[in-house]
Amino acid sequence: MRFYYTYIVANHTRSVLYIGMTGNIQQRIQQHFNGEIEGFSKKYNCKYLVYYEKFTTPLEAISREKQIKKWNRKKKEDLINKTNPQWKSINKTVFLIDEQYL
């Protein structure tokens, strides 16, 4: 089964957030970390994964991405705080998340 993800990456100081969606979270986080994606996330050095959600359809992930993007900063922070209160980088975690489905 294939999965789709809505995710939030932050810069080093956690002062800038980027919300995105992907069908390959491992590849996308690697691209963010290496600065391979032109635009906002590269400009503001957003390369630390602090939050993600998994979905079974791309429509669900896109819908959630759009929903979160409309939120104010406080609401986004509250979402991250529920699962990652210290805002630690969980980049390495994404390389393990789908092993149970192999």
Side-chain angles (χ1 to χ4, degrees):
M1 176 177 253
R2 184 176 170 128
F3 296 102
Y4 302 88
Y5 302 85
T6 299
Y7 65 91
I8 301 175
V9 288
N11 65 345
H12 178 70
T13 61
R14 309 308 193 248
S15 60
V16 180
L17 301 176
Y18 173 82
I19 294 97
M21 174 272 172
T22 185
N24 186 334
I25 189 106
Q26 293 89 352
Q27 180 181 23
R28 183 59 52 87
I29 297 308
Q30 188 72 39
Q31 290 169 331
H32 280 297
F33 193 81
N34 293 332
E36 298 171 7
I37 300 175
E38 295 297 326
F40 184 92
S41 64
K42 183 175 180 178
K43 180 179 179 179
Y44 293 100
N45 205 27
C46 295
K47 59 183 182 178
Y48 302 101
L49 181 67
V50 293
Y51 181 83
Y52 69 89
E53 294 178 22
K54 183 165 56 172
F55 301 93
T56 55
T57 70
L59 229 73
E60 290 173 303
I62 292 167
S63 176
R64 182 65 166 159
E65 174 195 20
K66 288 179 179 181
Q67 180 185 41
I68 294 170
K69 282 184 174 185
K70 291 179 183 177
W71 291 355
N72 63 35
R73 173 72 186 216
K74 170 82 168 88
K75 195 166 180 178
K76 292 172 190 172
E77 289 175 356
D78 290 344
L79 180 67
I80 296 164
N81 286 332
K82 285 180 185 176
T83 59
N84 188 1
Q86 295 179 336
W87 288 51
K88 290 184 179 180
S89 172
I90 55 174
N91 289 25
K92 290 182 181 180
T93 305
V94 300
F95 294 98
L96 305 173
I97 58 175
D98 283 337
E99 288 182 4
Q100 63 184 320
Y101 301 103
L102 298 176

